[in-house]
Coordinates of all heavy atoms in Angstrom, one line a residue:
M1 N -21.7 18.4 21.6 CA -20.8 18.3 20.4 C -19.7 19.4 20.5 O -19.9 20.4 21.1 CB -21.7 18.7 19.1 CG -20.8 18.7 17.9 SD -21.8 18.9 16.3 CE -22.6 17.3 16.2
D2 N -18.5 19.0 20.0 CA -17.3 19.9 20.1 C -17.7 21.2 19.4 O -18.0 21.2 18.3 CB -16.2 19.3 19.5 CG -14.9 20.0 19.6 OD1 -15.0 21.2 19.9 OD2 -13.8 19.4 19.5
E3 N -17.6 22.4 20.2 CA -17.9 23.7 19.6 C -16.9 24.1 18.5 O -17.3 25.0 17.8 CB -17.9 24.7 20.7 CG -19.0 24.5 21.8 CD -20.4 24.6 21.2 OE1 -20.6 25.4 20.3 OE2 -21.3 23.8 21.6
S4 N -15.8 23.5 18.5 CA -14.8 23.9 17.5 C -15.1 23.2 16.0 O -14.5 23.6 15.1 CB -13.4 23.5 17.9 OG -13.3 22.0 17.8
L5 N -16.0 22.3 16.0 CA -16.3 21.6 14.7 C -17.1 22.6 13.9 O -18.0 23.3 14.3 CB -17.1 20.3 15.0 CG -16.3 19.2 15.7 CD1 -17.2 18.0 15.9 CD2 -15.1 18.8 15.0
R6 N -16.8 22.5 12.6 CA -17.5 23.4 11.7 C -18.8 22.7 11.3 O -18.9 21.4 11.1 CB -16.8 23.5 10.4 CG -15.5 24.4 10.5 CD -14.6 24.2 9.3 NE -15.1 24.8 8.2 CZ -14.6 24.7 7.0 NH1 -13.6 24.0 6.8 NH2 -15.2 25.2 5.9
Q7 N -19.9 23.4 11.3 CA -21.2 22.9 11.0 C -21.5 23.1 9.5 O -21.0 24.1 9.0 CB -22.3 23.5 11.9 CG -21.9 23.4 13.4 CD -22.0 21.9 13.8 OE1 -22.9 21.2 13.7 NE2 -20.8 21.5 14.3
F8 N -22.3 22.3 8.9 CA -22.6 22.6 7.5 C -23.2 23.9 7.3 O -22.9 24.6 6.4 CB -23.6 21.5 7.0 CG -23.0 20.1 7.0 CD1 -23.8 19.0 7.3 CD2 -21.7 19.9 6.7 CE1 -23.3 17.7 7.3 CE2 -21.2 18.6 6.7 CZ -21.9 17.5 7.0
E9 N -24.0 24.4 8.2 CA -24.7 25.6 8.2 C -23.8 26.8 8.3 O -24.1 27.9 7.9 CB -25.8 25.7 9.3 CG -26.9 24.8 9.2 CD -26.5 23.4 9.7 OE1 -25.4 23.2 10.3 OE2 -27.3 22.4 9.5
D10 N -22.5 26.6 8.7 CA -21.6 27.7 8.9 C -20.8 28.0 7.5 O -20.0 28.9 7.4 CB -20.5 27.3 9.9 CG -21.0 27.2 11.3 OD1 -22.2 27.7 11.5 OD2 -20.5 26.6 12.2
I11 N -21.1 27.2 6.5 CA -20.4 27.3 5.3 C -21.5 27.6 4.2 O -21.8 26.7 3.4 CB -19.5 26.1 4.9 CG1 -18.8 25.7 6.2 CG2 -18.6 26.4 3.8 CD1 -18.0 24.3 6.0
P12 N -21.9 28.8 4.1 CA -23.0 29.1 3.2 C -22.6 28.9 1.7 O -21.3 29.2 1.4 CB -23.4 30.5 3.4 CG -22.2 31.1 4.1 CD -21.6 30.0 4.9
G13 N -23.4 28.4 0.8 CA -23.1 28.2 -0.5 C -22.5 26.9 -0.8 O -22.0 26.6 -2.0
V14 N -22.3 26.0 0.1 CA -21.7 24.7 -0.1 C -22.7 23.7 0.2 O -23.5 23.7 1.3 CB -20.4 24.6 0.8 CG1 -19.9 23.1 0.6 CG2 -19.4 25.6 0.5
V15 N -22.8 22.7 -0.6 CA -23.6 21.5 -0.4 C -22.8 20.3 -0.5 O -22.1 20.1 -1.5 CB -24.8 21.5 -1.6 CG1 -25.6 20.2 -1.3 CG2 -25.6 22.7 -1.5
W16 N -22.9 19.5 0.5 CA -22.1 18.3 0.6 C -23.0 17.1 -0.1 O -24.1 17.0 0.3 CB -21.8 17.9 1.9 CG -20.4 18.4 2.4 CD1 -19.3 17.7 2.4 CD2 -20.1 19.7 2.9 NE1 -18.2 18.4 2.9 CE2 -18.8 19.6 3.2 CE3 -20.9 20.8 3.1 CZ2 -18.1 20.8 3.7 CZ3 -20.2 22.0 3.6 CH2 -18.8 21.9 3.8
V17 N -22.4 16.4 -1.0 CA -23.0 15.3 -1.6 C -22.5 14.1 -1.0 O -21.3 13.9 -0.8 CB -22.7 15.3 -3.1 CG1 -23.4 14.1 -3.9 CG2 -23.1 16.6 -3.8
P18 N -23.5 13.2 -0.5 CA -23.0 12.0 0.1 C -22.0 11.2 -0.7 O -22.3 11.0 -2.0 CB -24.3 11.2 0.3 CG -25.4 12.2 0.3 CD -24.9 13.3 -0.6
P19 N -20.9 10.8 -0.2 CA -19.9 10.0 -1.0 C -20.5 8.8 -1.5 O -21.2 8.0 -0.8 CB -18.8 9.8 0.0 CG -19.4 9.9 1.3 CD -20.5 10.9 1.2
P20 N -20.3 8.4 -2.8 CA -20.8 7.2 -3.4 C -20.2 5.9 -2.8 O -20.8 4.9 -2.9 CB -20.6 7.3 -4.8 CG -19.3 8.2 -4.9 CD -19.5 9.1 -3.7
E21 N -19.1 6.0 -2.3 CA -18.4 4.9 -1.7 C -17.3 5.3 -0.8 O -16.9 6.5 -0.8 CB -17.8 4.1 -2.9 CG -16.8 4.9 -3.7 CD -16.4 4.1 -5.0 OE1 -17.0 3.2 -5.4 OE2 -15.4 4.5 -5.5
E22 N -16.7 4.4 -0.1 CA -15.7 4.8 0.9 C -14.4 5.0 0.0 O -14.1 4.3 -0.8 CB -15.4 3.5 1.7 CG -14.4 3.8 2.9 CD -14.2 2.6 3.8 OE1 -13.6 1.6 3.4 OE2 -14.7 2.6 4.9
F23 N -13.8 6.2 0.3 CA -12.7 6.5 -0.6 C -11.5 7.0 0.2 O -10.4 7.3 -0.3 CB -13.0 7.6 -1.6 CG -13.5 8.9 -1.1 CD1 -12.6 10.0 -0.9 CD2 -14.8 9.1 -0.8 CE1 -13.1 11.2 -0.3 CE2 -15.3 10.3 -0.3 CZ -14.4 11.4 0.0
I24 N -11.6 7.0 1.5 CA -10.5 7.2 2.5 C -10.5 6.1 3.5 O -11.5 5.9 4.1 CB -10.5 8.6 3.2 CG1 -10.6 9.7 2.1 CG2 -9.4 8.8 4.0 CD1 -10.8 11.1 2.7
T25 N -9.3 5.5 3.7 CA -9.2 4.5 4.7 C -7.9 4.7 5.4 O -7.0 5.3 4.9 CB -9.2 3.1 4.1 OG1 -8.2 2.9 3.1 CG2 -10.6 2.7 3.5
V26 N -7.8 4.2 6.7 CA -6.6 4.3 7.5 C -6.1 2.9 7.7 O -7.0 2.0 8.2 CB -6.9 5.0 8.8 CG1 -5.7 5.0 9.7 CG2 -7.4 6.5 8.6
D27 N -4.9 2.7 7.5 CA -4.3 1.4 7.9 C -3.8 1.4 9.4 O -2.9 2.1 9.7 CB -3.0 1.2 7.0 CG -2.3 -0.2 7.3 OD1 -2.6 -0.8 8.4 OD2 -1.5 -0.6 6.5
R28 N -4.6 0.8 10.2 CA -4.4 1.0 11.7 C -3.0 0.4 12.0 O -2.4 0.8 13.0 CB -5.6 0.3 12.4 CG -6.8 1.1 12.4 CD -7.9 0.3 13.2 NE -7.6 0.4 14.6 CZ -8.0 1.4 15.4 NH1 -8.5 2.4 15.0 NH2 -7.7 1.3 16.7
D29 N -2.6 -0.6 11.4 CA -1.2 -1.2 11.7 C -0.1 -0.2 11.4 O 0.9 -0.1 12.0 CB -1.0 -2.5 10.9 CG -1.9 -3.5 11.4 OD1 -2.3 -3.6 12.6 OD2 -2.2 -4.5 10.6
A30 N -0.4 0.7 10.3 CA 0.7 1.6 10.0 C 0.6 2.9 10.7 O 1.6 3.7 10.8 CB 0.6 1.9 8.4
C31 N -0.6 3.2 11.2 CA -0.8 4.5 11.9 C -0.1 4.5 13.3 O -0.1 3.6 14.0 CB -2.4 4.7 12.2 SG -2.7 6.1 13.1
T32 N 0.6 5.7 13.5 CA 1.4 5.9 14.7 C 0.6 6.7 15.7 O 1.1 6.9 16.8 CB 2.7 6.6 14.4 OG1 2.4 8.0 13.9 CG2 3.5 5.9 13.3
G33 N -0.6 7.3 15.2 CA -1.4 8.0 16.2 C -0.9 9.4 16.4 O -1.2 10.0 17.4
C34 N -0.1 9.9 15.4 CA 0.5 11.2 15.6 C -0.5 12.4 15.5 O -0.3 13.4 16.1 CB 1.5 11.5 14.5 SG 0.8 11.7 12.8
G35 N -1.7 12.2 14.9 CA -2.8 13.1 14.9 C -2.6 14.2 13.8 O -3.5 15.1 13.8
D36 N -1.7 14.1 13.0 CA -1.5 15.0 11.9 C -2.7 15.1 11.0 O -3.1 16.2 10.5 CB -0.3 14.8 11.1 CG 1.0 15.1 11.8 OD1 0.9 15.8 12.9 OD2 2.1 14.7 11.3
C37 N -3.3 14.0 10.7 CA -4.5 14.0 9.8 C -5.7 14.7 10.5 O -6.4 15.4 9.9 CB -4.9 12.6 9.5 SG -5.3 11.4 10.8
V38 N -5.7 14.5 11.7 CA -6.9 15.2 12.5 C -6.7 16.7 12.5 O -7.6 17.5 12.3 CB -6.9 14.7 14.0 CG1 -7.9 15.5 14.8 CG2 -7.1 13.2 14.1
R39 N -5.4 17.2 12.7 CA -5.1 18.6 12.7 C -5.2 19.2 11.3 O -5.7 20.4 11.2 CB -3.7 18.8 13.3 CG -3.7 18.7 14.7 CD -2.3 19.0 15.3 NE -1.3 18.0 15.0 CZ -1.1 16.9 15.7 NH1 -1.8 16.7 16.9 NH2 -0.2 16.1 15.5
V40 N -4.8 18.5 10.3 CA -4.8 19.1 8.9 C -6.2 19.2 8.3 O -6.4 20.0 7.4 CB -3.8 18.4 8.1 CG1 -4.4 17.1 7.5 CG2 -3.3 19.3 6.9
C41 N -7.1 18.4 8.7 CA -8.4 18.3 8.1 C -9.3 19.4 8.5 O -9.7 19.4 9.7 CB -9.0 16.9 8.3 SG -10.6 16.8 7.5
L42 N -9.7 20.3 7.6 CA -10.5 21.4 7.9 C -11.9 21.0 8.1 O -12.8 21.7 8.7 CB -10.4 22.5 6.8 CG -9.1 23.2 6.6 CD1 -9.1 24.1 5.4 CD2 -8.7 23.9 7.9
A43 N -12.3 19.8 7.6 CA -13.7 19.3 7.8 C -13.9 18.4 8.9 O -15.0 17.9 9.1 CB -14.0 18.5 6.4
S44 N -12.9 18.2 9.7 CA -13.0 17.4 11.0 C -13.5 16.0 10.6 O -14.4 15.4 11.3 CB -14.0 18.1 12.0 OG -13.5 19.3 12.3
V45 N -12.9 15.3 9.6 CA -13.3 14.0 9.1 C -12.7 13.0 10.1 O -13.4 12.0 10.3 CB -12.9 13.8 7.7 CG1 -13.0 12.3 7.3 CG2 -13.7 14.7 6.7
F46 N -11.5 13.2 10.6 CA -10.8 12.2 11.3 C -11.0 12.3 12.9 O -11.2 13.4 13.4 CB -9.4 12.2 11.1 CG -9.0 11.8 9.6 CD1 -8.8 12.7 8.6 CD2 -8.6 10.5 9.3 CE1 -8.5 12.3 7.4 CE2 -8.3 10.1 8.1 CZ -8.3 11.0 7.0
R47 N -10.8 11.3 13.6 CA -10.7 11.4 15.0 C -9.8 10.2 15.5 O -9.4 9.4 14.7 CB -12.0 11.2 15.7 CG -12.6 9.8 15.6 CD -13.9 9.6 16.2 NE -14.5 8.3 16.0 CZ -15.8 8.0 16.0 NH1 -16.7 9.0 16.3 NH2 -16.2 6.8 15.7
L48 N -9.2 10.5 16.7 CA -8.3 9.4 17.2 C -9.1 8.6 18.2 O -9.9 9.1 19.0 CB -7.1 10.1 18.0 CG -6.0 10.8 17.1 CD1 -5.0 11.5 18.0 CD2 -5.3 9.8 16.1
R49 N -8.9 7.3 18.1 CA -9.6 6.4 19.0 C -8.6 5.3 19.4 O -8.0 4.6 18.5 CB -10.8 5.8 18.3 CG -11.6 4.9 19.3 CD -13.0 4.5 18.6 NE -12.8 3.7 17.5 CZ -12.6 2.4 17.4 NH1 -12.7 1.7 18.5 NH2 -12.6 1.8 16.3
E50 N -8.4 5.2 20.6 CA -7.5 4.1 21.1 C -6.1 4.3 20.5 O -5.4 3.4 20.1 CB -8.0 2.7 20.9 CG -9.3 2.5 21.7 CD -9.9 1.2 21.4 OE1 -9.4 0.5 20.5 OE2 -11.0 0.9 22.1
G51 N -5.6 5.6 20.3 CA -4.3 5.8 19.8 C -4.1 5.6 18.3 O -3.0 5.7 17.8
K52 N -5.2 5.4 17.6 CA -5.1 5.3 16.1 C -6.2 6.3 15.5 O -7.2 6.5 16.1 CB -5.4 3.9 15.7 CG -4.6 2.8 16.3 CD -3.1 2.9 15.7 CE -2.3 1.7 16.3 NZ -1.0 1.7 15.6
A53 N -5.9 6.7 14.3 CA -6.8 7.6 13.6 C -7.8 6.7 12.9 O -7.7 5.5 12.5 CB -6.0 8.4 12.5
E54 N -9.0 7.3 12.7 CA -10.1 6.6 12.0 C -10.9 7.7 11.3 O -11.0 8.8 11.8 CB -11.0 5.8 12.9 CG -11.8 6.5 13.9 CD -12.6 5.6 14.8 OE1 -12.4 4.4 14.7 OE2 -13.6 6.2 15.5
V55 N -11.6 7.3 10.2 CA -12.5 8.2 9.5 C -13.8 8.1 10.2 O -14.5 7.1 10.2 CB -12.6 7.7 8.0 CG1 -13.6 8.6 7.2 CG2 -11.2 7.7 7.3
A56 N -14.2 9.3 10.6 CA -15.4 9.3 11.5 C -16.6 10.0 10.7 O -17.7 9.6 10.9 CB -15.2 10.1 12.8
R57 N -16.3 10.9 9.8 CA -17.3 11.7 9.2 C -16.9 11.9 7.7 O -16.7 13.0 7.3 CB -17.7 13.0 9.9 CG -18.1 12.7 11.3 CD -18.8 13.9 12.0 NE -17.9 14.9 12.1 CZ -18.2 16.2 12.6 NH1 -19.4 16.4 12.9 NH2 -17.3 17.1 12.7
L58 N -16.9 10.8 6.9 CA -16.5 11.0 5.5 C -17.3 11.9 4.7 O -16.9 12.5 3.8 CB -16.4 9.6 4.8 CG -15.9 9.5 3.4 CD1 -14.5 9.9 3.4 CD2 -16.0 8.1 2.9
E59 N -18.6 12.0 5.1 CA -19.5 12.9 4.4 C -19.2 14.3 4.3 O -19.6 15.1 3.5 CB -21.0 12.6 4.9 CG -21.3 13.3 6.2 CD -20.8 12.4 7.4 OE1 -20.1 11.3 7.1 OE2 -21.2 12.7 8.5
R60 N -18.2 14.7 5.2 CA -17.8 16.2 5.2 C -16.6 16.4 4.4 O -16.2 17.6 4.2 CB -17.6 16.5 6.7 CG -18.8 16.6 7.6 CD -18.4 16.9 9.0 NE -17.7 18.2 9.1 CZ -18.3 19.3 9.5 NH1 -19.5 19.3 10.0 NH2 -17.6 20.3 9.7
C61 N -16.0 15.3 3.9 CA -14.8 15.5 3.2 C -14.9 16.4 2.0 O -15.8 16.4 1.2 CB -14.2 14.1 2.7 SG -12.7 14.2 1.7
M62 N -13.9 17.3 1.7 CA -13.9 18.2 0.7 C -12.8 17.9 -0.3 O -12.4 18.6 -1.2 CB -13.6 19.7 1.2 CG -14.7 20.1 2.0 SD -14.5 21.9 2.6 CE -13.2 21.6 3.9
E63 N -12.2 16.7 -0.2 CA -11.3 16.0 -1.2 C -10.1 16.9 -1.5 O -9.6 16.9 -2.6 CB -12.2 15.8 -2.4 CG -13.3 14.9 -2.3 CD -14.3 15.1 -3.4 OE1 -14.0 15.5 -4.5 OE2 -15.6 14.9 -3.1
C64 N -9.5 17.4 -0.4 CA -8.3 18.2 -0.7 C -7.0 17.3 -0.7 O -6.0 17.7 -1.2 CB -8.2 19.3 0.5 SG -7.8 18.6 2.1
A65 N -7.1 16.1 -0.1 CA -6.1 15.2 -0.1 C -4.9 15.5 0.9 O -3.9 14.9 0.9 CB -5.5 14.9 -1.4
A66 N -5.1 16.5 1.7 CA -4.1 17.0 2.7 C -3.8 15.7 3.6 O -2.6 15.6 4.0 CB -4.6 18.2 3.5
C67 N -4.8 15.0 4.0 CA -4.6 14.0 4.9 C -3.6 12.9 4.4 O -2.8 12.3 5.1 CB -5.9 13.3 5.4 SG -7.0 12.8 3.9
F68 N -3.8 12.7 3.1 CA -2.9 11.8 2.4 C -1.5 12.2 2.4 O -0.5 11.4 2.7 CB -3.4 11.5 1.0 CG -2.5 10.7 0.0 CD1 -2.5 9.3 0.2 CD2 -1.7 11.3 -0.8 CE1 -1.7 8.5 -0.6 CE2 -0.8 10.5 -1.7 CZ -0.8 9.2 -1.5
F69 N -1.2 13.5 2.1 CA 0.1 14.0 2.0 C 0.7 14.2 3.3 O 2.0 14.2 3.4 CB 0.1 15.2 1.1 CG -0.2 15.0 -0.3 CD1 -1.4 15.3 -0.9 CD2 0.7 14.5 -1.1 CE1 -1.6 15.1 -2.3 CE2 0.6 14.2 -2.4 CZ -0.6 14.5 -3.1
V70 N 0.0 14.5 4.3 CA 0.5 14.8 5.7 C 1.0 13.6 6.4 O 1.8 13.6 7.3 CB -0.4 15.6 6.5 CG1 -1.5 14.8 7.1 CG2 0.4 16.4 7.5
C71 N 0.4 12.4 6.0 CA 0.6 11.2 6.8 C 2.0 10.6 6.4 O 2.1 9.9 5.4 CB -0.4 10.2 6.6 SG -0.2 8.7 7.5
E72 N 3.0 10.8 7.2 CA 4.4 10.3 6.8 C 4.5 8.8 6.7 O 5.2 8.3 5.8 CB 5.4 10.8 7.8 CG 5.6 12.4 7.6 CD 6.8 12.9 8.4 OE1 7.7 12.1 8.8 OE2 6.9 14.1 8.6
P73 N 3.8 8.1 7.6 CA 3.9 6.6 7.5 C 3.1 5.9 6.3 O 3.2 4.8 6.0 CB 3.4 6.0 8.8 CG 3.3 7.2 9.7 CD 3.1 8.4 8.8
G74 N 2.3 6.8 5.6 CA 1.5 6.3 4.5 C 0.4 5.5 4.9 O -0.1 4.6 4.2
A75 N -0.2 5.8 6.1 CA -1.3 5.0 6.7 C -2.6 5.4 6.0 O -3.6 4.7 6.2 CB -1.4 5.2 8.2
V76 N -2.7 6.6 5.5 CA -4.0 7.1 4.8 C -4.0 6.7 3.4 O -3.2 7.1 2.6 CB -4.1 8.7 5.0 CG1 -5.3 9.1 4.3 CG2 -4.2 9.0 6.5
D77 N -5.0 6.0 3.0 CA -5.2 5.7 1.6 C -6.4 6.6 1.1 O -7.5 6.6 1.6 CB -5.6 4.2 1.4 CG -5.8 3.9 -0.1 OD1 -4.9 4.3 -0.8 OD2 -6.8 3.3 -0.5
F78 N -6.1 7.4 0.1 CA -7.0 8.4 -0.4 C -7.2 8.1 -1.9 O -6.2 8.0 -2.7 CB -6.6 9.8 -0.2 CG -7.4 10.8 -0.9 CD1 -8.4 11.4 -0.2 CD2 -7.2 11.2 -2.1 CE1 -9.3 12.4 -0.6 CE2 -8.1 12.2 -2.8 CZ -9.1 12.8 -2.0
Q79 N -8.3 7.9 -2.4 CA -8.7 7.7 -3.8 C -9.7 8.8 -4.1 O -10.7 8.9 -3.5 CB -9.3 6.3 -4.1 CG -8.4 5.2 -3.6 CD -7.1 5.0 -4.4 OE1 -7.1 5.3 -5.6 NE2 -6.1 4.5 -3.8
W80 N -9.6 9.5 -5.3 CA -10.6 10.4 -5.7 C -11.9 9.7 -5.9 O -11.9 8.6 -6.6 CB -10.3 11.1 -6.9 CG -9.0 11.9 -6.8 CD1 -7.8 11.6 -7.4 CD2 -8.7 13.1 -6.1 NE1 -6.8 12.6 -7.1 CE2 -7.4 13.5 -6.3 CE3 -9.6 13.9 -5.3 CZ2 -6.9 14.6 -5.7 CZ3 -9.0 15.0 -4.7 CH2 -7.7 15.4 -4.9
P81 N -13.0 10.1 -5.3 CA -14.2 9.3 -5.4 C -14.7 9.4 -6.9 O -14.6 10.4 -7.5 CB -15.2 10.1 -4.5 CG -14.6 11.5 -4.3 CD -13.1 11.3 -4.4
K82 N -15.2 8.3 -7.3 CA -15.9 8.1 -8.6 C -17.2 8.7 -8.6 O -17.9 9.0 -7.5 CB -15.9 6.7 -9.0 CG -14.6 5.9 -9.0 CD -14.8 4.5 -9.3 CE -13.5 3.7 -9.2 NZ -13.6 2.2 -9.3
F83 N -17.7 9.1 -9.8 CA -19.1 9.5 -10.0 C -19.4 10.8 -9.3 O -20.5 11.0 -8.8 CB -20.1 8.4 -9.5 CG -19.7 7.0 -10.0 CD1 -19.5 6.1 -9.1 CD2 -19.6 6.7 -11.3 CE1 -19.1 4.8 -9.5 CE2 -19.3 5.5 -11.8 CZ -19.1 4.4 -10.8
G84 N -18.5 11.7 -9.3 CA -18.8 13.0 -8.8 C -18.0 13.4 -7.5 O -17.1 12.6 -7.2
T85 N -18.3 14.5 -7.0 CA -17.5 15.0 -5.9 C -18.2 14.9 -4.6 O -19.5 14.8 -4.6 CB -17.1 16.5 -6.2 OG1 -18.3 17.3 -6.2 CG2 -16.3 16.6 -7.4
G86 N -17.6 15.1 -3.5 CA -18.2 15.1 -2.2 C -18.9 16.4 -1.8 O -19.8 16.4 -0.9
Y87 N -18.5 17.4 -2.5 CA -19.2 18.6 -2.2 C -19.2 19.5 -3.4 O -18.4 19.3 -4.4 CB -18.5 19.4 -1.0 CG -17.4 20.3 -1.4 CD1 -17.5 21.6 -1.5 CD2 -16.1 19.7 -1.7 CE1 -16.5 22.5 -1.9 CE2 -15.0 20.5 -2.1 CZ -15.2 21.8 -2.1 OH -14.2 22.7 -2.5
R88 N -20.1 20.4 -3.5 CA -20.1 21.5 -4.6 C -20.5 22.8 -4.0 O -21.1 22.8 -3.0 CB -21.1 21.0 -5.7 CG -22.6 20.9 -5.2 CD -23.5 20.6 -6.4 NE -24.8 20.4 -5.9 CZ -25.5 19.3 -5.9 NH1 -24.9 18.1 -6.3 NH2 -26.7 19.2 -5.4
S89 N -20.0 23.8 -4.7 CA -20.2 25.2 -4.1 C -20.9 26.1 -5.2 O -20.8 25.7 -6.4 CB -18.8 25.8 -3.7 OG -18.1 26.1 -4.9
E90 N -21.4 27.2 -4.8 CA -22.1 28.0 -5.7 C -21.1 28.8 -6.6 O -21.4 29.4 -7.6 CB -22.9 29.0 -4.9 CG -24.2 28.4 -4.2 CD -24.9 29.4 -3.4 OE1 -24.4 30.5 -3.3 OE2 -26.0 29.0 -2.9
W91 N -19.7 28.9 -6.1 CA -18.8 29.6 -6.8 C -17.9 28.8 -7.7 O -16.9 29.3 -8.1 CB -18.0 30.5 -5.8 CG -17.3 29.7 -4.7 CD1 -16.2 29.0 -4.8 CD2 -18.0 29.4 -3.5 NE1 -16.0 28.4 -3.6 CE2 -17.0 28.5 -2.8 CE3 -19.1 29.8 -2.8 CZ2 -17.3 28.1 -1.5 CZ3 -19.4 29.3 -1.5 CH2 -18.5 28.5 -0.9
G92 N -18.3 27.6 -7.9 CA -17.5 26.8 -8.8 C -16.6 25.7 -8.2 O -16.7 25.6 -7.1
Ligands
SF4_101 S1 -1.3 11.2 10.0 FE1 -1.2 9.0 9.6 S2 0.0 8.2 11.2 FE2 -0.7 10.2 11.9 S3 -2.6 9.8 13.0 FE3 -3.2 10.2 10.9 S4 -3.2 8.1 9.9 FE4 -2.1 7.9 11.8
SF4_102 S1 -9.2 14.9 1.8 FE1 -9.1 17.0 3.0 S2 -11.1 17.3 3.7 FE2 -11.1 15.1 3.1 S3 -10.5 14.0 4.9 FE3 -8.6 14.5 4.0 S4 -7.9 16.4 4.8 FE4 -10.1 16.1 5.3

C-alpha cells in the first residue's frame, strides 16, 4: 500500500460511516485526466486509471466538496449524501 495514504487509525477521534449511496461520480468523457481531484482530496478517494479519474474509496470521503470545485471541466458530480454524513468526529 502507498505509504503516503492516510490510514483511518491515523486520525484519532474520527469515525467514518459507510456512505448510504454513491454520491460522487466522475464523467469519464468530460475528465481530462489533469489529476487535480487526486491532489486536492485529503482522504485519497480518487485515483487515475488509464488517464481518467475514478472514485476508488468513497468510504473515506469527508464531504468537503473540494473535488467538485477544483474540477474545471465539471467532470465531478458531487451531491451531499442523504441520511447522514460520511464521517463524524468527537469534536463536533
Ligand atoms: S479534476 Fe476533473 S478533469 Fe481533472 S482528473 Fe479530476 S475529474 Fe478529471
Ligand atoms: S468531497 Fe473532499 S474528501 Fe470527499 S472525495 Fe471530494 S475532495 Fe475528497
